Amino acid sequence: MMTRAMAAQGRLRAGWLAAAAFAGILTTAGCGTQPQAGASVEMVTPADDTDQRKRARIRLELASSYYEEGKIEVALDELKQVLAIDPSFGEAYNLRGLIYMRLGDMQQAEDNFRRAVALNPRDADAHHNLGWMQCQRGRYLEASRSFQQALTIPLYSGRSKTFLAMGVCDARAGQMEEAERNLLRSYELDAANPVTGYNLSRVLYQRGDYQRAQFYIRRLNNSELANAETLWLGIKVENRMNDAAAMGQLSEQLRKRYPQSRERASLDRRSFDE
């Protein structure tokens, strides 16, 4: 069975943006908080499901399992069955949006995420996923609005993930001050997430705040989650901090553990400003 550390290490090896995109930022779960008609506090939860919704939810869980296993066509077939049972099940559209996003069909992904939030305006996960899809398409203002909408949902448990997504998106948009603020908020909520730690250190490095960047990247490189990307960022930070000893230790690790990596080639060229 894969441990959390192993899964996180795999995310980091995938690349800092790719990791954020599919392993650390997107989600399949709906929050199950469709508001009741005429109620301002009470929320509908899975325990309140009708028999029709319960049958659809069972098949949705099966579709989600196939999606996680990479069996995309089977997952899509199961979703057809889900929506045949219950065409108003927003979480099914959320999952279908994720599948189309993985397939690279961004228009279909957007259509499904929008359908999900239209059916359940309180589905924070669908708002979040819509925001990340908009970020991928360079629509940063729309993405920010979708992320903010997710954060307004009561009982939303994915706030650290949404602040991480916002920070990555802000950095892509060149809004480095906002990126730092959102990544710090994500870090406060989940300091153990290596994707957040890496991105925060990277943004601080780009902003010229090398001492603070050093704190976050050292914490990551002193763990079992260090990889070629984190080591290379650490080397660049230590170079800026004029710490030759720390830079030498990290360089030795990079050369020994990742001899064929792009980062090793950059180190050999001493291309610290790439």
Side-chain angles (χ1 to χ4, degrees), residues 34-54:
Q34 179 76 26
Q36 293 183 12
S40 59
V41 177
E42 293 294 328
M43 296 179 182
V44 174
T45 68
D48 301 306
D49 283 347
T50 63
D51 288 341
Q52 178 188 35
R53 179 58 57 88
K54 287 177 181 177

Side-chain angles (χ1 to χ4, degrees), residues 148-184:
Q148 292 291 348
Q149 186 63 41
L151 293 170
T152 67
I153 308 300
L155 305 181
Y156 177 42
S157 62
R159 296 180 185 279
S160 64
K161 172 193 62 185
T162 295
F163 281 114
L164 168 58
M166 289 175 70
V168 171
C169 193
D170 289 333
R172 292 180 66 170
Q175 303 295 322
M176 305 308 285
E177 183 177 351
E178 290 82 356
E180 178 184 338
R181 181 173 61 250
N182 286 314
L183 289 168
L184 277 170

Side-chain angles (χ1 to χ4, degrees), residues 12 21 29 41 55 74 82 98 102 112 146 158 164 172 211 236 242:
L12 281 169
V41 177
R55 288 188 289 114
V74 183
V82 172
L98 291 174
R102 179 178 286 187
N112 278 277
S146 294
L164 168 58
R172 292 180 66 170
Q211 186 170 10
K236 294 196 291 185
N242 296 312

